[in-house]
Amino acid sequence: MRESGFNEDNPFDAMVARFDVAAKKLKLDEGLYQVLVTPDREIGVAVPVQMDDGSLRVFKGYRVQHNLARGPAKGGLRYSPDVTLDEIRALAAWMTWKCAVVNIPFGGGKGGIVCDPARLSQGELERITRRYTASLIDVLGPERDVMAPDVNTDERVMAWVMDTYSMHVRHTVTGVVTGKPLDLGGSVGRHGATGRGCKIVTDRAISRFNMSRENTKVIIQGFGNVGSMAARDFYESGYSVVGISDVSSGLYNPSGIDVARLLEHCREAKTVAGFAGADPIDGKDLLEQRCDVLVPAATENQITSRNADLIKAKIVCEGANGPTTPMADQVLFDKKIFIIPDILANAGGVTVSYFEWVQDRMGYFWNARTVNERLEEIMTNGFDTVAAYADQHQVNMRIAAYMLAIDRVAFTTRERGIYA
Ligand code: NAD
């Protein structure tokens, strides 16, 4: 284990803090504790790339496979100048727990490259992606480790990973990634799945509190894949979306933002800034506005001990991974704010990734109705199971989700036994 003390802003510490509470409640023995908390495999690779100007640069890349007891590693690939190994470790572990919470047959993985895609050309991005994939070729594959898009990566990046892998193994292997373009073996419904899942679990939460969609005001932080698709679904389902932000700006309109028009605006402007249908607001201030549902859908550590007491939402639906620190958890719980934890709330993406992987392996593709009905069923069951577990064990939703997940992975580990 890591030797340094607890650091609120370190995502792996945040994961372990929740894991510890859940493991204690489950009375997990020390040996199994070590097996489940320790990442199975951590790989760091140098990614040397020829830049457009002819110079050579070396980027740092990581892939962590946290636990493979229940199936191949599954998890996104992130491009950001802020990527660290501890962040990727945490994200890989969260994938293990997330897949277990919604009971799909994957372990957890995550990858990242320390780079700023905004400062790279298409050609440079492609060469970085392909070289990184080639370096990891032995640990990837539909039965080993299946990547998906995450922050700053998209279906085009997945197409490059799929093609590079396929060239190395000498035949087309669509199931090595999910979140790829439809005509390369992608699944309908994958792009909007994480946001849709956030909306489905929020539906369950508001019905628990006898709230109606029409009277529920939603604020969303982040307008990328998760945030924009969640905003669209909340809006189309009759919720009032009163606030939205991206990295450069925030928008606030207490009478509701026309999300369809905002999506149009963003297609051109590539940012929410400058949208005429709402007032501009500082992104930090937006989090603190009064609302019923707050959906952090940007990045980690947005609700911390520094601002948790200013949050005025009734429900926090964690679209992002790790947006709330353990210290902030305590403040929100004391304020009786209902948290739908990340490993449940944003599991819609990996659920439809699972559908994509299944369809690739069958070579038979489903229609949108089938995908969305099955997603709805899995997310609804996930929410209801975690809520029942929370009631049964008298714990909050976060700890219940961890307990359920750890219990499932521990069960599989015991059944398989430890290979010697
Ligand atoms: P993305 O790159 O598509 O979008 C990120 C968005 O967040 C952008 O709009 C960016 O401008 C905004 N942003 C960044 N920092 C911000 C800040 N400080 N304040 C306000 N906005 C900010 O990424 P994504 O795929 O939407 O992922 C967002 C989060 O959801 C990440 O934590 C990711 O791990 C998690 N997640 C993504 C998926 C998926 O299917 N894409 C699935 C599960 C979880």
Side-chain angles (χ1 to χ4, degrees):
M1 286 308 315
R2 301 171 66 257
E3 279 161 17
S4 55
F6 174 79
N7 168 0
E8 182 180 8
D9 297 321
N10 181 312
F12 194 69
D13 285 359
M15 191 289 290
V16 175
R18 278 68 170 254
F19 182 90
D20 282 351
V21 176
K24 206 165 171 188
K25 294 251 178 220
L26 288 168
K27 299 190 174 36
L28 199 67
D29 71 66
E30 175 58 24
L32 210 44
Y33 173 99
Q34 290 298 339
V35 171
L36 299 192
V37 84
T38 310
D40 222 59
R41 185 184 265 157
E42 300 182 347
I43 302 167
V45 290
V47 186
V49 171
Q50 180 131 37
M51 308 303 283
D52 290 349
D53 65 5
S55 65
L56 196 59
R57 271 183 68 188
V58 182
F59 296 87
K60 183 89 199 140
Y62 302 105
R63 186 76 190 167
V64 174
Q65 297 174 344
H66 171 257
N67 186 289
L68 307 171
R70 288 169 49 92
K74 183 84 195 75
L77 171 62
R78 170 174 295 200
Y79 289 175
S80 162
D82 304 326
V83 162
T84 65
L85 180 55
D86 265 347
E87 178 189 44
I88 300 299
R89 266 189 194 127
L91 289 160
W94 282 324
M95 288 305 295
T96 303
W97 313 135
K98 191 180 303 182
C99 293
V101 165
V102 287
N103 214 0
I104 57 179
F106 287 129
K110 202 80 178 192
I113 301 180
V114 186
C115 68
D116 184 356
R119 294 166 175 273
L120 296 166
S121 71
Q122 287 294 299
E124 289 165 344
L125 264 182
E126 179 172 353
R127 292 194 289 282
I128 291 173
T129 305
R130 287 185 182 278
R131 181 62 193 245
Y132 168 81
T133 307
S135 298
L136 292 173
I137 210 82
D138 294 334
V139 300
L140 302 179
E143 308 293 343
R144 293 181 177 157
D145 187 339
V146 184
M147 286 191 202
D150 192 71
V151 173
N152 289 327
T153 59
D154 55 14
E155 58 175 39
R156 184 196 42 178
V157 173
M158 291 304 111
W160 293 330
V161 173
M162 193 275 268
D163 183 68
T164 306
Y165 182 84
S166 299
M167 296 311 284
H168 275 257
V169 300
R170 297 283 187 265
H171 64 108
T172 298
V173 184
T174 53
V176 67
V177 293
T178 59
K180 55 193 171 293
L182 277 185
D183 54 354
L184 299 186
S187 174
V188 291
R190 173 60 186 89
H191 182 71
T194 310
R196 183 178 284 262
C198 291
K199 204 278 298 178
I200 295 168
V201 290
T202 302
D203 280 345
R204 300 303 289 169
I206 66 163
S207 75
R208 203 180 152 100
F209 297 116
N210 295 319
M211 293 155 66
S212 71
R213 288 176 176 175
E214 295 66 31
N215 293 320
T216 299
K217 292 189 188 305
V218 182
I219 289 179
I220 300 172
Q221 183 201 38
F223 206 62
N225 175 279
V226 181
S228 69
M229 292 296 100
R232 185 193 64 181
D233 276 8
F234 279 116
Y235 174 75
E236 287 179 357
S237 308
Y239 288 83
S240 175
V241 180
V242 296
I244 290 176
S245 65
D246 65 15
V247 72
S248 54
S249 184
L251 299 173
Y252 184 66
N253 180 346
S255 329
I257 294 170
D258 183 332
V259 176
R261 273 187 50 220
L262 178 61
L263 285 164
E264 279 291 312
H265 166 88
C266 284
R267 258 188 283 279
E268 285 291 307
K270 309 286 179 216
T271 168
V272 302
F275 178 64
D279 294 327
I281 184 172
D282 180 78
K284 277 202 170 68
D285 296 343
L286 183 68
L287 287 180
E288 296 160 13
Q289 297 303 307
R290 196 164 293 286
C291 65
D292 299 296
V293 180
L294 176 63
V295 186
T299 184
E300 295 102 61
N301 300 345
Q302 296 304 304
I303 307 176
T304 69
S305 57
R306 299 177 281 277
N307 66 351
D309 59 330
L310 300 170
I311 302 295
K312 298 177 191 71
K314 295 190 183 98
I315 296 168
V316 173
C317 175
E318 295 184 330
N321 287 308
T324 312
T325 67
M327 289 162 98
D329 265 357
Q330 197 50 54
V331 179
L332 299 188
F333 295 137
D334 290 347
K335 290 173 65 144
K336 305 214 171 353
I337 295 175
F338 184 81
I339 300 181
I340 314 175
D342 47 7
I343 58 173
L344 167 65
N346 68 40
V350 76
T351 300
V352 177
S353 277
Y354 166 53
F355 297 161
E356 182 173 332
W357 179 78
V358 168
Q359 292 169 78
D360 286 339
R361 286 155 62 104
M362 288 195 297
Y364 177 73
F365 291 85
W366 313 346
N367 60 25
R369 186 173 49 79
T370 306
V371 169
N372 289 332
E373 277 175 9
R374 289 179 180 174
L375 172 64
E376 174 112 24
E377 190 184 335
I378 287 186
M379 293 304 293
T380 302
N381 279 343
F383 182 95
D384 292 350
T385 309
V386 172
Y389 208 92
D391 292 342
Q392 186 193 342
H393 294 272
Q394 290 296 297
V395 292
N396 61 55
M397 288 286 281
R398 168 128 32 230
I399 297 305
Y402 270 77
M403 286 174 72
L404 177 65
I406 293 168
D407 206 19
R408 283 181 173 159
V409 182
F411 180 81
T412 311
T413 306
R414 282 194 208 95
E415 285 237 300
R416 288 179 64 152
I418 302 294
Y419 179 75

